[in-house]
Amino acid sequence: MAKISKKTVDAAKPENRDTYLWDEELAGFGLKVTPTGRKVFLVQYRLGGRAGRTRRITLGTHGAITADQARSDAQSILRQMARGEDPASAKDKRKGVASVGAMLDQFLSEHADTKLKNRSSAEYRRLIGKLVPKALLRKLVTEAERSDLAKLHHSLRGTPYQANRLLAVLSKFFSWCERNGFRPDFTNPAHHVEKFKEEKRKRYLSQKELADLGAALSEAEQTGSAGVFSVAAIRLLALTGARLKEILTLKWEQVDFGGQCLRLTDSKTGAKSVYLNPPALAILAALPRIEGNPHVICGERAGAHLVNLQKPWTRIRIAAGLADVRMHDLRHSFASIAVASGMSLPLIGALLGHSQPQTTARYAHLSDDPLKAAAESIGSKMLGIIGDRKSAQ
């Protein structure tokens, strides 16, 4: 017998049969050395006194865990045994429980791939594959705790948006586990893990900025610095408030000139109609149609749509003096003009294809601007009628 430490474990030599080294300080804690040289930490105990059944639990292989880690695990198991529990029996029950990694694979194939949009499913896979550590993947799905997720979330504090997205995905995963009986109800470890604050970026183009953008588009069209399809795509984004993918993947069969709308069979929020104003209809009517290509915004490859609008957009926005404007800000600007025109939020939500009222509610504060302007206009007129001369001056 000797104290099991890194030194004694390294010194242990294999023989022609399994050999055991027992710790002189912690009864029941031992090391098994196989003829092949494999060294395995274990703990052994007897239930019910001398006549009871002897149980043995494997703690881990030398190299995968250290001697100190194995000693700590052995102490924990022996404390359970001293309380009258049978740790080996509990371990036997857990053998049928899958790991977090295995359950995530099942979640992705049964839920994400079948019930979510392809883009959302791909994002789930990217976040999980890139950010979930192996230590969490190896845990039994029933043993994942709030502290595990809090620690993971905190480790991603340098990228708060990504950290919050991963937390949301894992929350959905553990809720799915509960619904399918893989975890007890109301045990989602993602609950109460506080998300990081995110800076909401809101950029709306003023009328002058929109005019500058229009001038830059016309110049790009005349000089040929941007292709006809790129210019048309940017104009349609501004005039319809549609999402980028909806315009880039648009097919002629979805354009209803008579109904003055785009009839999209699929979008981020499902099937929807995008209503077209006269300028948008004029742009579509003037676009050339490429034989053999069903798309409105054609790319360079035969039969394909334009994939990358970023390069021409960057040149055009810089020419317009709008270096900080993203393409998605054109959608925000469409909504801001609608609000300034006095349209209701439900109506604006319908135009933008929002599935949730709270998504449109982000534009509610914009309604203050026209109200303030109207109040100022009325105040100026009233001042001339009923105000005293000092105030009028």
Side-chain angles (χ1 to χ4, degrees), residues 379-380 382-393:
S380 297
M382 293 294 287
L383 183 62
I385 300 172
I386 64 173
D388 60 57
R389 291 183 179 180
K390 289 183 180 180
S391 299
Q393 293 172 354

Side-chain angles (χ1 to χ4, degrees), residues 86-152:
D86 184 359
S89 177
K91 186 176 179 182
D92 289 341
K93 291 179 181 178
R94 294 199 303 270
K95 285 182 179 178
V97 179
S99 67
V100 169
M103 295 310 305
L104 275 170
D105 288 339
Q106 188 173 336
F107 166 74
L108 289 170
S109 62
E110 293 184 5
H111 177 78
D113 292 346
T114 59
K115 297 181 180 179
L116 301 179
K117 299 283 183 184
N118 291 339
R119 188 174 178 181
S120 297
S121 177
E123 179 64 4
Y124 273 36
R125 289 184 175 278
R126 185 191 72 81
L127 289 169
I128 291 169
K130 182 180 179 181
L131 301 177
V132 180
K134 290 181 180 179
L136 179 56
L137 294 174
R138 287 194 294 264
K139 278 200 167 191
L140 296 181
V141 74
T142 53
E143 293 179 343
E145 299 177 349
R146 185 178 300 158
S147 59
D148 298 317
L149 269 67
K151 181 180 178 182
L152 172 57

